[in-house]
């Protein structure tokens, strides 16, 4: 059989798509979003491996779908934060839909980069880079020394640099 056996993919879809949509609907509370993510899940399966090699289809499908749900919630959270920041600006800001999408994609990519950092490192990095706090102010806010802030910033910058080089 080929890596993308249409019969195996079809059988997997027919047998598990209803279950997967229900599983997603209970987590998302929305049938339309559940259907979209179910389709995205099967697209990932199609591009990742042969369907006949999957031993535990529901476990495999739910793992992919769970990652997609997390990505969706993360993206929605970033978008809400971005829109809140825009709403707090004193002057109205007219941004094209293309620019808005580019900004959201960039913020999502930065958020993914920061996933590999520890919580304290991430908080210090965001306080300094996004909020513009000084090392002293970040240390005071988080109850750590300036030396600790510097170490965490070096760790964060090195992490981001290594990821961008890949």
């Amino acid at each position: 059989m080929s890596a993308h056996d249409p019969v195996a993919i079809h059988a997997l879809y027919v047998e598990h798509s209803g279950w997967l949509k229900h599983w997603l609907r209970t987590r998302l509370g929305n049938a339309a979003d559940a259907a979209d993510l179910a389709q995205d899940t099967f697209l990932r399966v199609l591009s990742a491996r042969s369907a006949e090699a999957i031993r535990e289809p529901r476990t495999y499908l739910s793992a992919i779908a769970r990652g997609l749900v997390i990505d969706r919630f993360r993206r929605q959270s970033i978008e809400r934060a971005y829109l809140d920041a825009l709403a707090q600006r004193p002057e109205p800001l007219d941004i094209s839909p293309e620019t808005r999408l580019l900004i959201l994609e960039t913020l999502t990519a930065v958020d993914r980069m920061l996933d590999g950092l520890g919580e304290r490192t991430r908080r210090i990095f965001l306080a300094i880079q996004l909020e513009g706090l000084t090392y002293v102010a970040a240390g005071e806010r988080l109850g750590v020394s300036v030396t600790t802030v510097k170490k965490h910033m070096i760790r964060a910058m090195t992490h981001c640099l290594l990821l961008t080089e890949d």
Side-chain angles (χ1 to χ4, degrees):
M1 275 192 225
S2 71
H4 297 294
D5 180 8
V7 174
I9 296 287
H10 179 73
L12 181 71
Y13 183 83
V14 168
E15 188 173 337
H16 299 288
S17 66
W19 168 84
L20 183 61
K21 287 176 194 173
H22 175 73
W23 186 88
L24 285 163
R25 190 171 41 251
T26 62
R27 281 145 184 83
L28 298 171
N30 179 319
D33 289 343
D36 286 346
L37 285 184
Q39 291 301 327
D40 290 347
T41 300
F42 282 102
L43 285 173
R44 294 265 175 105
V45 170
L46 186 61
S47 66
R49 64 190 300 174
S50 60
E52 64 273 4
I54 300 171
R55 290 188 212 138
E56 299 287 335
R58 290 190 176 182
T59 302
Y60 184 70
L61 292 170
S62 64
I64 293 171
R66 187 175 297 110
L68 292 172
V69 168
I70 290 168
D71 287 348
R72 181 182 213 94
F73 285 144
R74 177 180 288 146
R75 183 172 179 83
Q76 288 172 342
S77 173
I78 291 169
E79 188 168 345
R80 275 192 305 275
Y82 173 67
L83 292 175
D84 289 346
L86 283 180
Q88 293 176 10
R89 291 184 54 89
E91 70 280 350
L93 190 59
D94 189 22
I95 296 177
S96 72
E98 295 82 11
T99 301
R100 182 174 178 261
L101 180 62
L102 183 60
I103 291 169
L104 289 173
E105 287 174 351
T106 302
L107 288 172
T108 302
V110 168
D111 187 60
R112 267 192 232 111
M113 286 176 115
L114 297 179
D115 261 356
L117 300 176
E119 182 60 29
R120 180 181 284 174
T121 303
R122 180 185 175 102
R123 289 176 61 203
I124 289 170
F125 180 82
L126 290 174
I128 291 169
Q129 294 298 317
L130 289 183
E131 297 178 50
L133 293 183
T134 64
Y135 282 28
V136 172
E140 288 172 358
R141 177 189 285 178
L142 297 167
V144 297
S145 70
V146 173
T147 303
T148 300
V149 170
K150 288 178 182 178
K151 286 179 184 176
H152 284 280
M153 282 301 293
I154 290 169
R155 184 178 301 142
M157 297 299 249
T158 303
H159 177 78
C160 290
L161 182 63
L162 290 174
L163 288 175
T164 57
E165 287 180 355
D166 289 342

